[in-house]
Amino acid sequence: MTSFDSSPTLNAWRALLALAVVFVMLATTGWTAMRHHKSDTDPRAASLSSWARGGIDGRELPDARSTPARLAGFFATLSASQRERLVDRYPLVVGNLNGAPLTLRYRANHRALAQARTVERSRMRDPKLSAAGRQTADRRWHRFGSLMDHGRQVLAFDPAGSGRVAEVFGDLGRAKRVSVVVPGVDTTLVNFERSQRKNSAPVGMAKSLYAAERAASPGARTAVIAWADYTAPAGLGMDAVIGKPALDGSQRLNSLVEALPGGSKVSLFCHSYGSVVCGVAAPSLPPRVADIVAFGSPGMRVENAKQLRTAARVWATRDGDDWIQDVPYLEVGGLGHGADPVSPEFGARVVSATGAVGHTGYFEPGTESLSNFAEIGVGSYRTVSCATGDAACRNGISGAEEI
């Protein structure tokens, strides 16, 4: 006979209560929701609508949702003049088309940033906006200006809502190894990069990883993408404990990977809620994805690594000071994200994060987490340091079991 204390119904309520308590506690100790930028219009939606009705020298334009191969084929038939005209007319479309030439996307997004900056400058002076609204416009105006700096390679940009953006470090077109940094909760256009605590933001993470990869293997042709091209949950509200944002993000992540040029091997570095995105994306990822690294993870929507149904190597790490370890690792009625990726039962290759501090300290120079990420990113698995101090995390990788 089942006792009341061990009944499934009561256990489920206890699990939900545990989730609620922890999330409220964390929300009131610093991880709080940020206000999303609000706008009456969606400029990219308007641009897509115009693109769907448009053409170039009597030719129809392809559906913006076409496969990368079809879009690449279309642009290959255009003259340089025709390409530039499309950038001028539809920068928010061309800059986000997986399959369009990289340099064309960079130019289109530079133009789109300039246009968005003009909008924010107007909003900064709009008396109908609250003081907070004008301050947000000011912050966005400055961020867009920073992203327009010479040499920056913005691969994706959408100013609507809290915004989406991705930036490339290195020569993506020639890279043999590509690393993608997938950030977590509260990632917006405004905090895509930071002047303080730089390595806690996507740009700082990616730049730190790129420098570490070049140091680990100076001759390797690598590139790193700071990928905030999905709508991350805001704070620790309901979106942060369910899978819908991850499902939407996983589809966009798959589209990115499928469209990467050449035959490069890809490693995904998935932080916090970003590891939920990677977990949901895993079964559909192309074979070119060699590694999935979850760190500071609340779970990957599965109970073990095998359930990810991927041929990629699955790695995990967490530093001893990361508060994410206090989140209940379970999934009940769609709430929560499953098992702890660093637990032995999960079956990931657990690497050392010695030297990292807190939830966002994994990319600080001198940490073993950063050096391990770099070695995974360039495929130098023999020098990866395992959390257990032995070669356990390298087992089964040809030539990497012993150093």
Side-chain angles (χ1 to χ4, degrees):
M1 186 172 174
T2 303
S3 71
F4 181 75
D5 284 346
S6 61
S7 71
T9 301
L10 181 59
N11 287 339
W13 278 109
R14 283 176 168 169
L16 290 172
L17 179 61
L19 281 170
V21 169
V22 171
F23 290 139
V24 168
M25 177 186 72
L26 293 173
T28 57
T29 56
W31 199 19
T32 55
M34 295 178 64
R35 292 181 183 272
H36 279 206
H37 171 76
K38 294 182 179 179
S39 175
D40 295 331
T41 61
D42 183 338
R44 185 162 183 267
S47 189
L48 282 166
S49 178
S50 179
W51 170 278
R53 300 189 306 270
I56 186 77
D57 293 339
R59 296 177 57 187
E60 290 186 357
L61 301 178
D63 190 326
R65 298 166 297 182
S66 298
T67 64
R70 186 183 174 202
L71 291 169
F74 168 75
F75 280 99
T77 67
L78 301 180
S79 67
S81 173
Q82 288 173 322
R83 293 182 182 186
E84 289 304 322
R85 276 187 281 157
L86 289 179
V87 166
D88 289 341
R89 295 175 191 170
Y90 312 105
L92 275 172
V93 177
V94 176
N96 292 280
L97 285 180
N98 288 318
L102 292 174
T103 54
L104 203 66
R105 290 182 68 172
Y106 299 156
R107 289 201 297 277
N109 285 319
H110 188 276
R111 184 173 181 82
L113 280 159
Q115 293 176 349
R117 200 167 189 241
T118 298
V119 172
E120 297 304 331
R121 188 175 186 86
S122 175
R123 288 172 55 80
M124 287 162 57
R125 302 168 178 172
D126 188 346
K128 296 190 296 295
L129 290 181
S130 66
R134 291 193 296 273
Q135 183 180 42
T136 296
D138 179 75
R139 295 179 69 195
R140 285 166 63 91
W141 182 79
H142 280 92
R143 176 61 60 241
F144 297 165
S146 175
L147 287 168
M148 292 175 64
D149 285 350
H150 179 71
R152 298 194 73 163
Q153 302 175 129
V154 178
L155 185 67
F157 170 67
D158 183 353
S162 58
R164 296 196 294 254
V165 63
E167 184 175 7
V168 174
F169 299 90
D171 188 341
L172 185 58
R174 297 181 63 251
K176 295 297 184 183
R177 303 282 308 199
V178 175
S179 298
V180 182
V181 176
V182 184
V185 162
D186 271 346
T187 300
T188 68
L189 266 169
V190 169
N191 63 27
F192 182 59
E193 59 181 330
R194 292 190 174 105
S195 55
Q196 303 293 326
R197 297 174 56 244
K198 294 180 180 181
N199 296 330
S200 66
V203 166
M205 292 177 179
K207 290 176 73 172
S208 183
L209 179 57
Y210 182 58
E213 288 184 355
R214 288 172 62 83
S217 183
R221 285 156 54 180
T222 67
V224 179
I225 302 173
W227 189 81
D229 194 24
Y230 82 105
T231 302
L236 281 169
M238 185 58 68
D239 279 353
V241 297
I242 62 175
K244 188 180 184 306
L247 177 60
D248 296 341
S250 71
Q251 295 167 350
R252 300 183 68 83
L253 181 59
N254 268 298
S255 295
L256 167 81
V257 175
E258 289 173 3
L260 290 175
S264 56
K265 290 291 185 182
V266 178
S267 298
L268 304 179
F269 294 89
C270 316
H271 179 233
S272 195
Y273 191 86
S275 67
V276 186
V277 175
C278 292
V280 176
S284 302
L285 289 169
R288 71 191 304 177
V289 176
D291 304 282
I292 301 173
V293 186
F295 55 103
S297 173
M300 303 182 78
R301 304 294 289 182
V302 293
E303 292 306 309
N304 56 66
K306 288 184 179 179
Q307 291 180 358
L308 293 172
R309 292 183 286 125
T310 177
R313 286 172 286 269
V314 180
W315 308 80
T317 194
R318 185 177 65 226
D319 70 64
D321 194 45
D322 190 334
W323 56 253
I324 201 74
Q325 63 192 302
D326 296 324
V327 171
Y329 284 95
L330 45 80
E331 188 277 325
V332 179
L335 295 176
H337 302 302
D340 183 354
V342 302
S343 67
E345 297 78 17
F346 190 84
R349 301 171 181 274
V350 183
V351 301
S352 172
T354 298
V357 177
H359 188 58
T360 58
Y362 295 93
F363 288 89
E364 292 297 330
T367 60
E368 288 194 7
S369 50
L370 178 60
S371 63
N372 280 329
F373 294 169
E375 286 152 1
I376 292 168
V378 300
S380 183
Y381 303 111
R382 291 185 69 251
T383 49
V384 171
S385 58
C386 305
T388 51
D390 54 20
C393 69
R394 302 190 297 272
N395 287 342
I397 303 177
S398 179
E401 288 85 352
E402 299 296 337
I403 296 180

